[in-house]
Amino acid sequence: MLNEHAKIMALIREAGEVIGRKKLQKIIYIAKKINFPFQERYNFHFYGPYSEELTLKIEEMCNLGFVHETKEQKGGYYQYRYTLSEEGTNFLSMSSLEMPNLRDFTLDINEKSSRFLELVSTLLFFEDLTKEEMIEKVQTVKAKLNYTEEEITDAFTYIENLRQLT
């Protein structure tokens, strides 16, 4: 019944903690794009790919007590931290969910900045375009972030490395 929720909980468990709503959105989007079996639908939004479905599932998991969401003030904004609760851990122990390589993927990607993941996810959102068109799109829709050539090159390299995990 909660199989899709269990996938998200497994990712949070493997990460230990995910800091930021945007970061969690990007991690799951990138996982989906490199063929982990996440089913949430995404649209392009202010910070790149965004899933209302994912937001609702996280809210449900918090309400069920499976995931802890901690809200903390950080300068002029709030930041959210996500960890798996004991109830969530118990729920996952009863699940037959198998996602090979999720741990390696999650530990690696969770170390990346939200800014970098926004770039990676935006490139993946436009992956049907040529490489030049993808770069042009990023420079248009993310103009305020002023991504450098080096950052864009690093993002393409990172995407290729991630694809080797699955």
Short mmCIF file of all heavy atoms in Angstrom, two decimals, residues 131-165:
data_model
loop_
_atom_site.label_atom_id
_atom_site.label_comp_id
_atom_site.label_asym_id
_atom_site.label_seq_id
_atom_site.Cartn_x
_atom_site.Cartn_y
_atom_site.Cartn_z
N LYS A 131 23.35 18.75 -26.26
CA LYS A 131 24.16 19.28 -25.16
C LYS A 131 24.22 20.81 -25.20
O LYS A 131 24.08 21.47 -24.18
CB LYS A 131 25.57 18.67 -25.20
CG LYS A 131 26.41 19.02 -24.00
CD LYS A 131 27.73 18.27 -24.03
CE LYS A 131 28.54 18.58 -22.79
NZ LYS A 131 29.79 17.82 -22.74
N GLU A 132 24.41 21.35 -26.38
CA GLU A 132 24.49 22.81 -26.53
C GLU A 132 23.17 23.47 -26.15
O GLU A 132 23.15 24.51 -25.49
CB GLU A 132 24.87 23.19 -27.97
CG GLU A 132 26.27 22.80 -28.38
CD GLU A 132 26.46 21.30 -28.64
OE1 GLU A 132 25.48 20.58 -28.96
OE2 GLU A 132 27.61 20.82 -28.48
N GLU A 133 22.05 22.87 -26.55
CA GLU A 133 20.73 23.40 -26.21
C GLU A 133 20.47 23.30 -24.71
O GLU A 133 19.84 24.19 -24.12
CB GLU A 133 19.63 22.67 -26.99
CG GLU A 133 19.64 22.97 -28.48
CD GLU A 133 18.70 22.07 -29.27
OE1 GLU A 133 18.51 20.89 -28.89
OE2 GLU A 133 18.17 22.54 -30.29
N MET A 134 20.94 22.21 -24.10
CA MET A 134 20.78 22.05 -22.64
C MET A 134 21.51 23.18 -21.92
O MET A 134 20.96 23.79 -20.99
CB MET A 134 21.35 20.69 -22.19
CG MET A 134 20.54 19.50 -22.63
SD MET A 134 21.41 17.93 -22.41
CE MET A 134 21.39 17.75 -20.63
N ILE A 135 22.74 23.45 -22.35
CA ILE A 135 23.53 24.51 -21.73
C ILE A 135 22.84 25.86 -21.91
O ILE A 135 22.73 26.65 -20.97
CB ILE A 135 24.97 24.52 -22.29
CG1 ILE A 135 25.71 23.24 -21.87
CG2 ILE A 135 25.73 25.77 -21.84
CD1 ILE A 135 27.02 23.00 -22.60
N GLU A 136 22.34 26.08 -23.11
CA GLU A 136 21.63 27.34 -23.40
C GLU A 136 20.39 27.48 -22.51
O GLU A 136 20.11 28.56 -21.98
CB GLU A 136 21.24 27.38 -24.88
CG GLU A 136 20.67 28.70 -25.33
CD GLU A 136 20.36 28.70 -26.82
OE1 GLU A 136 21.19 28.19 -27.61
OE2 GLU A 136 19.27 29.19 -27.18
N LYS A 137 19.64 26.39 -22.35
CA LYS A 137 18.46 26.41 -21.48
C LYS A 137 18.84 26.76 -20.05
O LYS A 137 18.19 27.59 -19.41
CB LYS A 137 17.75 25.05 -21.48
CG LYS A 137 16.78 24.86 -22.58
CD LYS A 137 15.52 25.66 -22.32
CE LYS A 137 14.42 25.18 -23.22
NZ LYS A 137 13.30 26.09 -23.30
N VAL A 138 19.88 26.11 -19.54
CA VAL A 138 20.33 26.38 -18.17
C VAL A 138 20.71 27.85 -18.03
O VAL A 138 20.34 28.51 -17.05
CB VAL A 138 21.51 25.46 -17.77
CG1 VAL A 138 22.22 25.97 -16.52
CG2 VAL A 138 21.00 24.04 -17.54
N GLN A 139 21.44 28.36 -18.99
CA GLN A 139 21.87 29.75 -18.92
C GLN A 139 20.69 30.72 -19.03
O GLN A 139 20.77 31.84 -18.54
CB GLN A 139 22.92 30.03 -19.99
CG GLN A 139 24.23 29.33 -19.68
CD GLN A 139 25.24 29.38 -20.81
OE1 GLN A 139 24.88 29.52 -21.98
NE2 GLN A 139 26.50 29.24 -20.47
N THR A 140 19.59 30.27 -19.62
CA THR A 140 18.39 31.10 -19.73
C THR A 140 17.54 31.00 -18.47
O THR A 140 17.25 32.02 -17.83
CB THR A 140 17.55 30.69 -20.97
OG1 THR A 140 18.36 30.82 -22.13
CG2 THR A 140 16.31 31.55 -21.09
N VAL A 141 17.15 29.78 -18.11
CA VAL A 141 16.21 29.62 -16.98
C VAL A 141 16.89 29.77 -15.62
O VAL A 141 16.21 30.00 -14.62
CB VAL A 141 15.43 28.28 -17.05
CG1 VAL A 141 14.61 28.20 -18.31
CG2 VAL A 141 16.34 27.07 -16.88
N LYS A 142 18.19 29.65 -15.58
CA LYS A 142 18.95 29.79 -14.33
C LYS A 142 19.96 30.93 -14.42
O LYS A 142 21.02 30.89 -13.78
CB LYS A 142 19.69 28.47 -14.00
CG LYS A 142 18.76 27.30 -13.78
CD LYS A 142 17.97 27.51 -12.53
CE LYS A 142 16.92 26.44 -12.35
NZ LYS A 142 16.02 26.78 -11.27
N ALA A 143 19.63 31.95 -15.18
CA ALA A 143 20.55 33.07 -15.43
C ALA A 143 21.03 33.72 -14.12
O ALA A 143 22.20 34.07 -13.99
CB ALA A 143 19.89 34.11 -16.33
N LYS A 144 20.12 33.84 -13.15
CA LYS A 144 20.48 34.51 -11.89
C LYS A 144 21.54 33.74 -11.09
O LYS A 144 22.21 34.32 -10.25
CB LYS A 144 19.24 34.70 -11.02
CG LYS A 144 18.29 35.73 -11.57
CD LYS A 144 17.09 35.92 -10.67
CE LYS A 144 16.15 36.96 -11.26
NZ LYS A 144 14.95 37.14 -10.43
N LEU A 145 21.67 32.45 -11.35
CA LEU A 145 22.64 31.65 -10.60
C LEU A 145 24.04 31.72 -11.20
O LEU A 145 25.00 31.28 -10.58
CB LEU A 145 22.18 30.20 -10.50
CG LEU A 145 20.93 30.00 -9.63
CD1 LEU A 145 20.47 28.55 -9.67
CD2 LEU A 145 21.19 30.43 -8.20
N ASN A 146 24.16 32.26 -12.41
CA ASN A 146 25.46 32.45 -13.06
C ASN A 146 26.36 31.21 -12.98
O ASN A 146 27.50 31.29 -12.52
CB ASN A 146 26.20 33.65 -12.44
CG ASN A 146 25.56 34.96 -12.81
OD1 ASN A 146 25.10 35.14 -13.93
ND2 ASN A 146 25.51 35.87 -11.85
N TYR A 147 25.85 30.08 -13.44
CA TYR A 147 26.68 28.87 -13.46
C TYR A 147 27.86 29.07 -14.41
O TYR A 147 27.70 29.57 -15.52
CB TYR A 147 25.86 27.65 -13.92
CG TYR A 147 24.89 27.16 -12.87
CD1 TYR A 147 23.52 27.21 -13.10
CD2 TYR A 147 25.34 26.63 -11.68
CE1 TYR A 147 22.63 26.74 -12.14
CE2 TYR A 147 24.46 26.16 -10.72
CZ TYR A 147 23.11 26.22 -10.95
OH TYR A 147 22.23 25.76 -10.01
N THR A 148 29.02 28.67 -13.96
CA THR A 148 30.23 28.79 -14.78
C THR A 148 30.33 27.60 -15.73
O THR A 148 29.67 26.57 -15.53
CB THR A 148 31.49 28.83 -13.90
OG1 THR A 148 31.62 27.55 -13.23
CG2 THR A 148 31.44 29.96 -12.88
N GLU A 149 31.18 27.74 -16.74
CA GLU A 149 31.45 26.62 -17.65
C GLU A 149 31.95 25.41 -16.88
O GLU A 149 31.59 24.27 -17.17
CB GLU A 149 32.50 27.02 -18.69
CG GLU A 149 31.94 27.76 -19.87
CD GLU A 149 33.01 28.00 -20.94
OE1 GLU A 149 33.73 27.04 -21.29
OE2 GLU A 149 33.11 29.16 -21.40
N GLU A 150 32.81 25.67 -15.89
CA GLU A 150 33.37 24.58 -15.08
C GLU A 150 32.27 23.85 -14.30
O GLU A 150 32.26 22.61 -14.25
CB GLU A 150 34.42 25.13 -14.11
CG GLU A 150 35.09 24.05 -13.28
CD GLU A 150 36.13 24.60 -12.31
OE1 GLU A 150 36.34 25.83 -12.27
OE2 GLU A 150 36.72 23.78 -11.59
N GLU A 151 31.34 24.60 -13.73
CA GLU A 151 30.24 23.97 -12.99
C GLU A 151 29.38 23.12 -13.93
O GLU A 151 28.98 22.00 -13.57
CB GLU A 151 29.35 25.03 -12.32
CG GLU A 151 29.98 25.68 -11.11
CD GLU A 151 29.11 26.80 -10.56
OE1 GLU A 151 28.78 27.74 -11.32
OE2 GLU A 151 28.77 26.74 -9.36
N ILE A 152 29.12 23.62 -15.11
CA ILE A 152 28.30 22.88 -16.08
C ILE A 152 29.03 21.62 -16.53
O ILE A 152 28.45 20.53 -16.60
CB ILE A 152 27.90 23.79 -17.26
CG1 ILE A 152 26.94 24.88 -16.76
CG2 ILE A 152 27.28 22.98 -18.40
CD1 ILE A 152 26.63 25.98 -17.76
N THR A 153 30.32 21.74 -16.80
CA THR A 153 31.12 20.57 -17.17
C THR A 153 31.13 19.54 -16.04
O THR A 153 30.96 18.34 -16.29
CB THR A 153 32.57 21.00 -17.51
OG1 THR A 153 32.53 21.90 -18.62
CG2 THR A 153 33.44 19.80 -17.87
N ASP A 154 31.31 20.01 -14.81
CA ASP A 154 31.29 19.12 -13.64
C ASP A 154 29.94 18.41 -13.53
O ASP A 154 29.87 17.23 -13.19
CB ASP A 154 31.57 19.89 -12.34
CG ASP A 154 33.02 20.34 -12.23
OD1 ASP A 154 33.86 19.88 -13.02
OD2 ASP A 154 33.29 21.17 -11.34
N ALA A 155 28.84 19.12 -13.81
CA ALA A 155 27.51 18.53 -13.73
C ALA A 155 27.33 17.43 -14.77
O ALA A 155 26.79 16.37 -14.46
CB ALA A 155 26.44 19.62 -13.89
N PHE A 156 27.77 17.68 -16.00
CA PHE A 156 27.68 16.64 -17.04
C PHE A 156 28.51 15.41 -16.65
O PHE A 156 28.06 14.27 -16.83
CB PHE A 156 28.15 17.17 -18.41
CG PHE A 156 27.10 17.93 -19.16
CD1 PHE A 156 27.24 19.28 -19.42
CD2 PHE A 156 25.96 17.27 -19.64
CE1 PHE A 156 26.27 19.97 -20.13
CE2 PHE A 156 24.98 17.96 -20.36
CZ PHE A 156 25.14 19.32 -20.60
N THR A 157 29.70 15.63 -16.12
CA THR A 157 30.54 14.51 -15.68
C THR A 157 29.87 13.75 -14.55
O THR A 157 29.87 12.51 -14.54
CB THR A 157 31.92 15.05 -15.22
OG1 THR A 157 32.53 15.74 -16.31
CG2 THR A 157 32.83 13.92 -14.75
N TYR A 158 29.29 14.48 -13.63
CA TYR A 158 28.60 13.85 -12.49
C TYR A 158 27.44 12.99 -12.98
O TYR A 158 27.25 11.86 -12.50
CB TYR A 158 28.13 14.91 -11.50
CG TYR A 158 27.59 14.34 -10.22
CD1 TYR A 158 28.44 13.66 -9.35
CD2 TYR A 158 26.26 14.46 -9.90
CE1 TYR A 158 27.96 13.11 -8.17
CE2 TYR A 158 25.78 13.92 -8.71
CZ TYR A 158 26.63 13.25 -7.87
OH TYR A 158 26.15 12.70 -6.69
N ILE A 159 26.66 13.50 -13.93
CA ILE A 159 25.54 12.74 -14.47
C ILE A 159 26.04 11.42 -15.09
O ILE A 159 25.45 10.36 -14.86
CB ILE A 159 24.76 13.58 -15.50
CG1 ILE A 159 24.01 14.71 -14.80
CG2 ILE A 159 23.79 12.70 -16.30
CD1 ILE A 159 23.47 15.78 -15.74
N GLU A 160 27.12 11.49 -15.86
CA GLU A 160 27.67 10.28 -16.47
C GLU A 160 28.12 9.27 -15.40
O GLU A 160 27.89 8.07 -15.54
CB GLU A 160 28.83 10.62 -17.41
CG GLU A 160 28.38 11.28 -18.69
CD GLU A 160 27.29 10.48 -19.42
OE1 GLU A 160 27.44 9.27 -19.63
OE2 GLU A 160 26.26 11.11 -19.75
N ASN A 161 28.75 9.77 -14.36
CA ASN A 161 29.19 8.89 -13.27
C ASN A 161 28.00 8.25 -12.56
O ASN A 161 28.04 7.06 -12.19
CB ASN A 161 30.06 9.65 -12.27
CG ASN A 161 31.40 10.04 -12.86
OD1 ASN A 161 31.86 9.45 -13.83
ND2 ASN A 161 32.02 11.07 -12.29
N LEU A 162 26.94 9.02 -12.35
CA LEU A 162 25.74 8.47 -11.69
C LEU A 162 25.10 7.37 -12.52
O LEU A 162 24.65 6.37 -11.98
CB LEU A 162 24.72 9.58 -11.44
CG LEU A 162 25.01 10.56 -10.32
CD1 LEU A 162 23.93 11.63 -10.27
CD2 LEU A 162 25.13 9.85 -8.98
N ARG A 163 25.07 7.57 -13.81
CA ARG A 163 24.43 6.57 -14.70
C ARG A 163 25.14 5.23 -14.63
O ARG A 163 24.54 4.19 -14.92
CB ARG A 163 24.36 7.08 -16.13
CG ARG A 163 23.37 8.23 -16.30
CD ARG A 163 23.18 8.56 -17.76
NE ARG A 163 22.50 9.82 -17.96
CZ ARG A 163 21.18 9.97 -18.00
NH1 ARG A 163 20.41 8.93 -17.83
NH2 ARG A 163 20.64 11.15 -18.21
N GLN A 164 26.41 5.23 -14.24
CA GLN A 164 27.15 3.97 -14.12
C GLN A 164 26.76 3.19 -12.86
O GLN A 164 27.07 2.02 -12.74
CB GLN A 164 28.65 4.25 -14.14
CG GLN A 164 29.10 4.78 -15.50
CD GLN A 164 30.55 5.23 -15.51
OE1 GLN A 164 31.31 4.93 -14.61
NE2 GLN A 164 30.92 5.97 -16.54
N LEU A 165 26.07 3.86 -11.93
CA LEU A 165 25.64 3.19 -10.70
C LEU A 165 24.46 2.26 -10.92
O LEU A 165 24.27 1.31 -10.17
CB LEU A 165 25.22 4.22 -9.64
CG LEU A 165 26.31 4.94 -8.89
CD1 LEU A 165 25.71 5.97 -7.95
CD2 LEU A 165 27.17 3.97 -8.11
#
